[in-house]
Amino acid sequence: MRSNPDYLLDDVDTIRALVRENPWASIVSFVPGKGLIASHYPILLDDEAEGIVLLSHVGRPDERLHELGGHEAMVIIYGPQGYVSPSWYGASPAVPTWNFAVAHLYGTPEILSDEENLQVLERLVEHFESPLPEPYLMNRTLENADYAARIVHGTVGFRMRITRFEAKDKMSQDKPAEVVSRVIDALGEPGPYRNPALAARMAAMHESEVSA
């Protein structure tokens, strides 16, 4: 990813929050003789660990494709992103751009035992089901628990301690405050580029800059 100091995101806690809020990830490996391999899975942050530690699982076919655990992998986390029209700037000349938050996280996955993998699967289910009025937890019944214990053998769990990362948070930092305000307002209006999540991240970033 191209280095740009204006958009650099190097705060570990901010990256942990990005993972927590955006759990759908791309897992990328370079495997000798196969080339680049990419898969897509939900990711959990291990909140009990120091630094950035990811937990997830892949299907066994993907584990073989990636040769998971045999070499470094990259996990890509995508935050809010979207198109920004120059018509929103109220200034000329102007060109369109794309605002985004993204993190490339590197580490060598550690393969988990079946028991640990089952625990990770339970945490994944609980994480995504807990907002629902009647969470459908993996062990909600003996029948469901037995079913989960059988299918776990078709997946491979992993823990990945992040040893290095590259991240960007491009939220119109190069624009004057009045232009940023107009962009945030435009992203909240009805239309083809309405993007409340991006507007909220831009507002939070620029509020923190003002208060700093």
Side-chain angles (χ1 to χ4, degrees):
M1 184 159 50
R2 181 172 69 94
S3 175
N4 188 323
D6 289 339
Y7 309 135
L8 179 67
L9 175 55
D10 59 1
D11 180 70
V12 169
D13 287 339
T14 303
I15 292 175
R16 283 167 60 90
L18 190 70
V19 175
R20 194 178 293 112
E21 295 161 9
N22 302 277
W24 184 246
S26 297
I27 303 169
V28 183
S29 303
F30 177 78
V31 180
K34 298 178 184 176
L36 289 171
I37 306 295
S39 300
H40 313 276
Y41 285 89
I43 295 284
L44 280 184
L45 185 71
D46 187 347
D47 284 312
E48 298 173 0
E50 293 286 334
I52 305 170
V53 179
L54 308 180
L55 296 169
S56 190
H57 72 285
V58 298
R60 286 201 177 275
D62 276 330
E63 181 261 341
R64 289 191 289 268
L65 282 173
H66 285 269
E67 297 180 1
L68 206 66
H71 44 71
E72 187 179 59
M74 175 174 68
V75 172
I76 304 175
I77 301 293
Y78 308 90
Q81 53 78 31
Y83 179 74
V84 176
S85 170
S87 66
W88 301 339
Y89 291 171
S92 184
V95 294
T97 191
W98 204 279
N99 280 355
F100 62 90
V102 68
H104 295 178
L105 310 177
Y106 299 87
T108 301
E110 170 198 350
I111 303 300
L112 301 179
S113 67
D114 280 351
E115 182 179 351
E116 291 173 311
N117 184 23
L118 190 59
Q119 292 170 358
V120 169
L121 289 172
E122 287 180 32
R123 288 180 62 175
L124 278 165
V125 173
E126 183 178 3
H127 176 79
F128 293 110
E129 284 290 319
S130 59
L132 298 176
E134 296 183 20
Y136 199 102
L137 301 179
M138 204 162 73
N139 291 322
R140 67 193 299 267
T141 65
L142 285 175
E143 181 184 22
N144 213 67
D146 288 343
Y147 175 69
R150 290 197 302 273
I151 67 169
V152 72
H153 299 294
T155 68
V156 177
F158 69 88
R159 178 185 293 107
M160 182 167 155
R161 178 170 294 280
I162 302 309
T163 55
R164 62 189 179 96
F165 61 80
E166 301 169 325
K168 282 186 181 180
D169 213 354
K170 180 181 176 293
M171 296 289 153
S172 298
Q173 292 96 319
D174 58 333
K175 299 292 185 291
E178 60 272 17
V179 171
V180 172
S181 293
R182 282 195 286 269
V183 172
I184 291 171
D185 289 343
L187 289 169
E189 294 293 326
Y193 297 114
R194 184 174 188 272
N195 195 330
L198 182 59
R201 189 168 186 91
M202 287 183 64
M205 169 174 282
H206 289 280
E207 283 171 11
S208 66
E209 288 178 348
V210 169
S211 61

